[in-house]
Amino acid sequence: MTTTLITGANKGLGLETARRLVEAGHTVYLGSRDAERGRRAAERLGARLVLLDITDDASVEAAAKTVEADGGLDVLINNAGIEGTVIGAGDTTADNLRPLFETNVFGTVRVTHAFLPLLRRSTAPVVVNVSSSLGSATLVAAPGTPTYGYPGVAYPASKAAVNMITVQYAKAFPEIRINAVEPGFTATDLNGHRGTQTVEEGAEIIVRMARIGADGPTGGYFDAAGSLPW
């Protein structure tokens, strides 16, 4: 039985990913900051709730101890993230970047670090970091692409950092399949449901990469159609 932890899983892409993986036979830990929303979501799906605030050291450490006590972990999906207010380059300050980096970047590292010992005991460990095409310097700099017109600084910068984290961890731990994915512009709370895709469509690449085997790719950056440029 494959055991999977998904951060930020009480709604949106995380919830849909949890649903699909439970259906695929995974034992899923549904990570949620909100106990009641997490409990309802976990009960509905047949998942296990684990209280998890990725910005809090104590919360992450407690979650790791809970998962360890229950038997360990095979797949980690770093899904939790925020976009914040979109502010153009001319008005962006360091303070605008801090909350996004605390969640999207530092939170991803905090969770990955805490669960690495459990993943390294697995016979087929996998890490999926949910990124964005806005983290691609190549795409954001390309006139005519949807990403080129995005004016904000903080969110793309945080996701570019997630991509680099992915590469460096993949090199450091070649026995773990570690990849970044772009789910596409999906209608979720993160973007005020402005996205043009359903969560079912957006979760496709997350689920696919969560289920790769030991011969699967690592250190890559993918959307549903294939590899993305860095």
Side-chain angles (χ1 to χ4, degrees):
M1 179 74 74
T2 300
T3 301
T4 299
L5 168 67
I6 308 169
T7 65
N10 62 23
K11 60 182 179 179
L13 285 168
L15 181 63
E16 175 60 17
T17 300
R19 184 188 71 79
R20 297 266 292 273
L21 291 176
V22 168
E23 284 187 355
H26 288 217
T27 297
V28 173
Y29 285 91
L30 188 150
S32 174
R33 289 186 303 171
D34 186 296
E36 182 56 28
R37 291 177 69 172
R39 182 190 63 77
R40 291 198 302 266
E43 288 181 354
R44 187 164 72 250
L45 299 183
R48 300 179 182 183
L49 170 64
V50 60
L51 292 178
L52 179 57
D53 179 351
I54 71 169
T55 67
D56 182 81
D57 287 332
S59 174
V60 173
E61 290 168 8
K65 289 177 181 177
T66 295
V67 174
E68 181 178 26
D70 285 348
L73 188 67
D74 302 298
V75 179
L76 170 62
I77 301 176
N78 285 309
N79 167 73
I82 61 173
E83 182 181 21
T85 303
V86 179
I87 300 172
D91 296 316
T92 296
T93 67
D95 286 340
N96 300 139
L97 270 69
R98 283 193 180 97
L100 278 80
F101 271 70
E102 181 58 53
T103 299
N104 300 351
V105 182
F106 306 152
T108 294
V109 172
R110 183 178 286 112
V111 172
T112 303
H113 179 76
F115 284 91
L116 263 175
L118 303 187
L119 289 165
R120 297 186 76 185
R121 296 174 202 162
S122 169
T123 58
V126 171
V127 175
V128 181
N129 292 327
V130 178
S131 182
S132 167
S133 58
L134 288 168
S136 165
T138 299
L139 294 176
V140 171
T145 64
T147 50
Y148 183 82
Y150 186 90
V153 174
Y155 186 72
S158 73
K159 290 303 186 178
V162 168
N163 288 349
M164 182 58 73
I165 287 165
T166 301
V167 170
Q168 295 300 84
Y169 273 88
K171 291 192 303 183
F173 302 99
E175 73 278 13
I176 307 176
R177 307 293 89 186
I178 305 175
N179 294 288
V181 300
E182 148 67 313
F185 191 32
T186 303
T188 65
D189 285 356
L190 181 139
N191 55 45
H193 292 269
R194 298 188 307 274
T196 56
Q197 289 188 150
T198 65
V199 289
E200 291 81 5
E201 293 170 315
E204 175 62 33
I205 187 60
I206 306 174
V207 172
R208 187 191 310 169
M209 298 310 292
R211 299 185 67 189
I212 61 173
D215 59 347
T218 192
Y221 181 28
F222 303 95
D223 67 5
S227 296
L228 290 174
W230 299 103

